[in-house]
Amino acid sequence: MNKILLVALVFLLNLNADTLFGKVVKIIDGDTIHILDSSKRRHKIRLFGIDAPEKK
């Protein structure tokens, strides 16, 4: 029972997504980018569930 509760809790914690509009100013690797928003703030975005190679 505890394992089911733990899995459900982890799943629910991953549902807190927001929408961010901006311009991609840098691509770090296959799953990480930097976005510049309308107030000129830079955001580091990690894409979840992407199986991309690292920059190495």
Side-chain angles (χ1 to χ4, degrees), residues 24 26-29 31-35 43-45 47:
V24 175
K26 188 173 185 180
I27 299 173
I28 304 301
D29 55 23
D31 64 353
T32 308
I33 60 175
H34 285 182
I35 292 181
H43 301 270
K44 181 178 180 179
I45 308 296
L47 303 173

Side-chain angles (χ1 to χ4, degrees), residues 2-18:
N2 287 338
K3 290 180 183 180
I4 294 172
L5 181 60
L6 180 62
V7 170
L9 181 60
V10 169
F11 178 74
L12 290 174
L13 289 176
N14 285 327
L15 294 179
N16 59 353
D18 286 328

